[in-house]
Amino acid sequence: DKEFMPRVTAIQTGTQIEFPNHDTVQHHVYSFSKPKRFDLPLYKTETPQPVLFDKPGVVVLGCNIHDWMKAYVYVTDTPYFSKCGADGILKISNLPPGTYNIEFWHPQLKKFIGKGLGPSINLDEKKDFSETIAVELKSENVPSRTRNNDIGGY
């Protein structure tokens, strides 16, 4: 369907990611982001060498052929991270006791609404941790897919 899947990926620094192409058309994957700049020229069936993400930060991915294709790789130094599921629930397992700084990221995050969380949580003081968080998201301007009927594709 000519889009990155998943749209957001969270990984630990030092992880490699492959960018296979499961579409029937060529793609040209790139990133100009400071934490990781790379360019995978046009390819269709062969998968290029994996890309090593060796610096923390947000890496925005694009396709030079399909303007609407956009995805994000969130690279973090900590081994304690997670991505929420479709239900919006985030789980991080096997955290040892201690004080942790908490950081949330979403490509369209505008602000936290309501009670929210403080900048850190001390797991020595709480046996169970549960908190409701609401966020406001910015609208996203995504280029539309223009169908090229002459060749039956996009």
Side-chain angles (χ1 to χ4, degrees), residues 9-70:
T9 301
I11 61 171
Q12 188 174 4
T13 306
T15 300
Q16 293 184 5
I17 296 179
E18 287 186 336
F19 293 92
N21 181 358
H22 299 293
D23 291 328
T24 58
V25 298
Q26 292 182 323
H27 293 289
H28 183 133
V29 179
Y30 68 90
S31 175
F32 296 130
S33 301
K34 190 174 180 179
K36 187 63 181 185
R37 293 184 173 141
F38 67 93
D39 189 38
L40 303 175
L42 281 173
Y43 65 99
K44 184 176 177 181
T45 54
E46 70 286 347
T47 298
Q49 290 294 319
V51 176
L52 174 66
F53 292 83
D54 53 356
K55 294 183 182 129
V58 175
V59 179
V60 182
L61 307 175
C63 175
N64 202 24
I65 307 303
H66 307 99
D67 291 339
W68 66 84
M69 286 180 61
K70 194 177 198 182

Side-chain angles (χ1 to χ4, degrees), residues 129-146:
F129 176 73
S130 176
E131 191 72 47
T132 301
I133 301 164
V135 296
E136 182 179 337
L137 300 178
K138 300 178 228 176
S139 62
E140 184 176 35
N141 185 12
V142 179
S144 64
R145 297 179 183 198
T146 304

Side-chain angles (χ1 to χ4, degrees), residues 78-81 92-103 117-124 129:
T78 181
Y80 306 117
F81 66 92
I92 301 175
S93 302
N94 302 320
L95 280 169
T99 300
Y100 296 89
N101 292 324
I102 299 171
E103 182 176 321
L117 287 172
S120 65
I121 176 175
N122 187 329
L123 294 182
D124 289 333
F129 176 73

